[in-house]
């Protein structure tokens, strides 16, 4: 494609929106705001590097990413067993985006239920995430958990997390 991004329809909308924002900013003689993408599908998470020349930030929408990774509607309680945020498949997708952002000085944030989950936020922190969009009521709990992780769990390496066999072993690792 003209922008060297192969994720088709999703990319087309981003580039069209970016053109509009830049055009309107020029008309108003103002600097365009930072522009980024939501990472909510496995294809975008796996190909985050294709966007580095075009975005100022990545925001990982964990609720949709988990749902689309497992093709399991989160609205159906019978499929809740497929909504584990600490499953290594999900963590590898997220880690790829975090690594891409770190290597290219692009901010990466996480929103969704995972950012407000104590164990998940610790794992995300250990994977290199530093920007969390959390429910205000969870703020003190998550901040305290991250301070604890920084002070006591920094010996846990990304490779150890990403090679785990199940989420229970990860929870035990950080407890």
């Amino acid at each position: 494609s003209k922008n060297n991004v192969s994720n088709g329809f999703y990319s087309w909308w981003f580039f069209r929106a970016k053109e509009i924002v830049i055009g309107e900013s020029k008309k108003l003689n103002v600097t365009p705001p930072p522009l980024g993408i939501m990472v909510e599908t496995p294809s975008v998470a796996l190909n985050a590097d294709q966007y580095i020349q075009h975005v100022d930030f990545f925001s990982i929408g964990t609720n949709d990413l988990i749902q689309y990774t497992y093709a399991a509607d989160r609205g159906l309680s019978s499929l809740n067993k497929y909504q584990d945020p600490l499953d290594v498949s999900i963590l590898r997708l997220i880690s790829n985006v975090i690594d891409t952002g770190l290597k290219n000085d692009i901010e990466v944030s996480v929103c969704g239920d995972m950012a407000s989950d104590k164990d998940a936020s610790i794992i995300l922190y250990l994977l290199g995430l530093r920007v969390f969009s959390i429910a205000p009521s969870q703020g003190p709990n998550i901040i305290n958990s991250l301070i604890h992780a920084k002070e006591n769990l920094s010996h846990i390496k990304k490779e150890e997390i990403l090679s785990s066999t199940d989420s229970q072993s990860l929870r035990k690792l950080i407890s």
Side-chain angles (χ1 to χ4, degrees), residues 118-174:
K118 179 184 169 195
D119 292 343
S121 65
I122 289 171
I123 294 295
L124 292 171
Y125 178 83
L126 294 172
L127 291 175
L129 186 75
R130 296 298 182 264
V131 181
F132 297 77
S133 177
I134 59 176
S137 63
Q138 291 299 311
N141 183 36
I142 298 302
I143 290 169
N144 287 334
S145 296
L146 297 178
I147 290 170
H148 171 77
K150 181 178 181 182
E151 294 172 351
N152 300 296
L153 301 174
S154 60
H155 65 280
I156 299 173
K157 302 297 178 215
K158 176 175 67 171
E159 295 74 22
E160 187 174 3
I161 293 168
L162 297 180
S163 64
S164 69
T165 56
D166 58 57
S167 59
Q168 289 75 25
S169 64
L170 279 177
R171 286 182 173 85
K172 185 177 179 182
L173 180 67
I174 62 173

Side-chain angles (χ1 to χ4, degrees), residues 39-53:
V39 178
E40 297 180 308
T41 62
S43 64
V44 175
L46 289 169
N47 295 295
D49 61 322
Q50 293 185 8
Y51 292 92
I52 60 176
Q53 300 300 316

Side-chain angles (χ1 to χ4, degrees), residues 92-110:
R92 287 179 181 161
L93 290 168
I94 291 171
S95 182
N96 186 60
V97 179
I98 294 169
D99 290 348
T100 299
L102 289 171
K103 288 178 196 166
N104 295 283
D105 198 29
I106 297 171
E107 179 179 287
V108 178
S109 63
V110 165

Side-chain angles (χ1 to χ4, degrees), residues 4-18:
N4 289 335
V5 179
S6 64
N7 288 311
F9 184 75
Y10 185 80
S11 301
W12 182 88
W13 280 109
F14 171 75
F15 289 115
R16 180 68 187 115
K18 185 174 180 178

